[in-house]
Amino acid sequence: MAVPLGVISVFVGLAIWAGLAVHAVMKRKFVPVLLFGILLMLYLNAGYVIYGPAASIANFVGIYDVLINLGLSDPVSAAAVSTCPDNSCSVWGNTFTNHPAWGVAFYDRFANGPELRSALLLGHVVCNSIVFVLMHVQMFFPGGRGANHAILGRISFGILTVGVGCAAILAAQHGPVGEYGGALSTWGFFSMSIFVYATAVMGILAIRRQDTAQHRIWMWRFVGSMWGSFWLFRVLLFVIDPLFRDIEALAIQICIWGSAPAGILIAEMVRRRVDERDEIAPVLAE
């Protein structure tokens, strides 16, 4: 049995993160769980730069192989499960020979696709990773920093534009990929890009009007869209992929269309709770 250390390390990281999340809810201290989520994101995305897209995708697919194979009958007839030549699309060796169909297609598109496609993926991953970090710097040290805050915001928006642009170009190529959902995946990823970019733009327009309150609200929503597009997408897919493996592309379609707006909704709910707490605290102190 092959032991994919990369996949095991991700599972260990997720277990630690889950423990931090429970601690955060109990103690009302959320900074550690946020920081660990950022570090785990960087760990996952660094592989694309260090090892290249194909190897990183094989590791990524290996994460989902564990649950997708639970209770799977042999021979496999599930519409959303597939195999790949030489089992190269996963790091599990011969342990798992059946994989999520979207994962097989994901691997094939970058292992056997044009170099430009891999370059676009790297551009998207690197740029969005940088923005993911910078947006938390902006949130943890908001306002009151004058030119530094504004300059960092402009840099972040410029990098975001490149990252979202790369994602949109990649999405435009998804039409023939039935494992993703064909044209629906193209428009779904377009909608994800729009949610991310539009919330950032609305925040910029607000601050240009000197409306700091609306700027803060839209930046919360932007952060929510980024968390949704990255983490909610991956965690939700991990959970529901095995549930819908008899229906081609349904699980990934739910994640494509739902993760960004769900992230925005969650961020909005958290922001309102934070604002209510901040409004109540001075009253209680009197």
Side-chain angles (χ1 to χ4, degrees):
M1 175 180 176
V3 180
L5 296 180
V7 172
I8 300 302
S9 68
V10 172
F11 285 148
V12 171
L14 290 174
I16 295 172
W17 198 21
L20 288 173
V22 172
H23 180 267
V25 172
M26 294 176 62
K27 300 296 184 180
R28 302 293 180 184
K29 295 181 179 180
F30 296 95
V31 173
V33 72
L34 287 175
L35 290 177
F36 194 85
I38 297 169
L39 291 174
L40 193 54
M41 177 277 300
L42 291 173
Y43 174 69
L44 287 171
N45 284 355
Y48 286 88
V49 178
I50 298 171
Y51 304 111
S56 293
I57 292 169
N59 190 73
F60 183 66
V61 172
I63 297 170
Y64 294 84
D65 279 341
V66 177
L67 288 188
I68 200 75
N69 278 277
L70 287 179
L72 195 63
S73 60
D74 194 20
V76 177
S77 59
V81 177
S82 184
T83 60
C84 58
D86 301 321
N87 212 33
S88 58
C89 62
S90 176
V91 292
W92 281 101
N94 293 324
T95 303
F96 298 120
T97 57
N98 298 301
H99 318 284
W102 60 261
V104 175
F106 187 23
Y107 177 83
D108 179 67
R109 286 175 58 75
F110 291 94
N112 303 308
E115 291 185 6
L116 177 59
R117 184 178 294 160
S118 292
L120 287 168
L121 180 63
L122 286 173
H124 169 64
V125 168
V126 170
C127 289
N128 278 30
S129 298
I130 294 172
V131 173
F132 204 91
V133 174
L134 292 181
M135 71 184 187
H136 289 91
V137 174
Q138 295 288 80
M139 284 197 73
F140 291 150
F141 305 100
R145 303 298 189 276
N148 291 336
H149 187 84
I151 290 171
L152 192 59
R154 293 188 182 99
I155 293 172
S156 182
F157 183 71
I159 298 172
L160 176 70
T161 300
V162 176
V164 171
C166 290
I169 295 172
L170 288 170
Q173 303 172 6
H174 291 166
V177 188
E179 295 88 346
Y180 289 178
L184 280 175
S185 70
T186 292
W187 292 107
F189 277 118
F190 280 164
S191 75
M192 184 185 294
S193 297
I194 290 169
F195 277 118
V196 169
Y197 202 67
T199 49
V201 169
M202 292 298 293
I204 290 171
L205 293 176
I207 200 61
R208 288 179 67 86
R209 297 193 305 269
Q210 304 300 312
D211 189 341
T212 55
Q214 282 298 309
H215 174 70
R216 176 177 173 274
I217 289 172
W218 280 108
M219 287 298 99
W220 266 88
R221 293 169 180 170
F222 166 65
V223 170
S225 73
M226 290 286 283
W227 272 88
S229 299
F230 186 86
W231 272 122
L232 187 57
F233 182 103
R234 286 156 177 77
V235 173
L236 181 61
L237 184 58
F238 183 72
V239 173
I240 70 173
D241 211 13
L243 302 178
F244 299 117
R245 63 189 176 199
D246 291 319
I247 306 174
E248 184 181 30
L250 178 58
I252 194 168
Q253 281 290 304
I254 292 172
C255 297
I256 291 171
W257 285 94
S259 58
I264 293 171
L265 178 61
I266 292 170
E268 182 69 9
M269 293 169 62
V270 172
R271 181 193 63 79
R272 293 188 180 194
R273 289 289 298 273
V274 169
D275 289 351
E276 289 173 1
R277 183 195 63 192
D278 291 345
E279 290 175 359
I280 293 173
V283 176
L284 296 176
E286 292 178 355

